[in-house]
Coordinates of all heavy atoms in Angstrom, one line a residue:
Chain F
D334 N 113.7 28.8 120.8 CA 112.3 28.6 120.4 C 112.1 29.1 119.0 O 112.5 30.2 118.7 CB 111.4 29.3 121.4 CG 110.0 28.8 121.3 OD1 109.5 28.6 120.2 OD2 109.4 28.7 122.4
I335 N 111.5 28.3 118.1 CA 111.3 28.9 116.7 C 110.2 29.9 116.7 O 110.1 30.7 115.7 CB 111.0 27.8 115.6 CG1 109.8 27.0 116.0 CG2 112.2 26.9 115.4 CD1 109.2 26.3 114.7
S336 N 109.4 30.1 117.8 CA 108.5 31.1 117.8 C 109.1 32.5 117.8 O 108.5 33.5 117.6 CB 107.6 31.0 119.1 OG 108.3 31.4 120.2
Y337 N 110.5 32.5 118.0 CA 111.2 33.8 117.9 C 111.2 34.4 116.5 O 111.4 35.5 116.3 CB 112.7 33.6 118.3 CG 112.9 33.4 119.8 CD1 114.2 33.1 120.2 CD2 111.9 33.5 120.8 CE1 114.5 32.9 121.6 CE2 112.2 33.3 122.1 CZ 113.5 33.0 122.5 OH 113.8 32.8 123.8
G338 N 110.8 33.5 115.5 CA 110.8 34.0 114.1 C 112.2 34.2 113.6 O 112.6 35.3 113.2
I339 N 112.9 33.1 113.4 CA 114.3 33.2 113.1 C 114.5 33.5 111.6 O 113.9 32.8 110.7 CB 115.1 31.9 113.4 CG1 114.9 31.6 114.9 CG2 116.5 31.9 113.0 CD1 114.8 30.1 115.2
D340 N 115.2 34.5 111.2 CA 115.4 35.0 109.9 C 116.8 35.3 109.6 O 117.5 35.8 110.5 CB 114.5 36.2 109.6 CG 114.2 36.4 108.1 OD1 114.7 35.6 107.3 OD2 113.5 37.4 107.8
M341 N 117.3 35.1 108.4 CA 118.6 35.6 107.9 C 118.4 37.0 107.4 O 117.3 37.4 107.0 CB 119.2 34.7 106.8 CG 118.6 34.9 105.4 SD 116.9 34.2 105.3 CE 117.1 33.0 104.1
E342 N 119.5 37.8 107.4 CA 119.5 39.0 106.7 C 120.9 39.0 106.0 O 121.9 39.2 106.7 CB 119.4 40.3 107.6 CG 118.0 40.4 108.2 CD 117.7 41.9 108.6 OE1 118.6 42.7 108.6 OE2 116.6 42.1 109.1
A343 N 120.9 38.8 104.7 CA 122.2 38.8 104.0 C 122.5 40.2 103.6 O 121.7 40.9 103.0 CB 122.0 37.9 102.7
E344 N 123.8 40.6 103.9 CA 124.2 42.0 103.8 C 125.7 42.0 103.4 O 126.4 41.0 103.4 CB 124.1 42.7 105.1 CG 122.8 42.5 105.8 CD 122.7 43.4 107.1 OE1 123.7 44.1 107.4 OE2 121.7 43.3 107.7
I345 N 126.1 43.2 103.0 CA 127.6 43.5 102.8 C 128.0 44.3 104.0 O 127.2 45.1 104.6 CB 127.8 44.4 101.5 CG1 127.0 43.8 100.3 CG2 129.2 44.5 101.2 CD1 127.4 42.4 99.9
A346 N 129.3 44.2 104.4 CA 129.8 45.0 105.5 C 131.2 45.4 105.1 O 131.9 44.8 104.3 CB 129.8 44.2 106.8
V347 N 131.6 46.5 105.7 CA 133.0 47.0 105.6 C 133.6 47.1 107.0 O 132.9 47.3 107.9 CB 133.1 48.4 104.8 CG1 132.5 48.3 103.5 CG2 132.4 49.5 105.7
I348 N 134.9 46.9 107.0 CA 135.7 47.2 108.2 C 136.5 48.5 108.0 O 137.2 48.6 106.9 CB 136.6 46.1 108.6 CG1 135.9 44.7 108.8 CG2 137.4 46.4 109.9 CD1 136.7 43.5 109.2

Side-chain angles (χ1 to χ4, degrees):
Chain F
D334 198 316
I335 59 161
S336 73
Y337 287 175
I339 303 148
D340 198 2
M341 76 289 240
E342 290 200 358
E344 313 185 0
I345 314 298
V347 301
I348 304 180

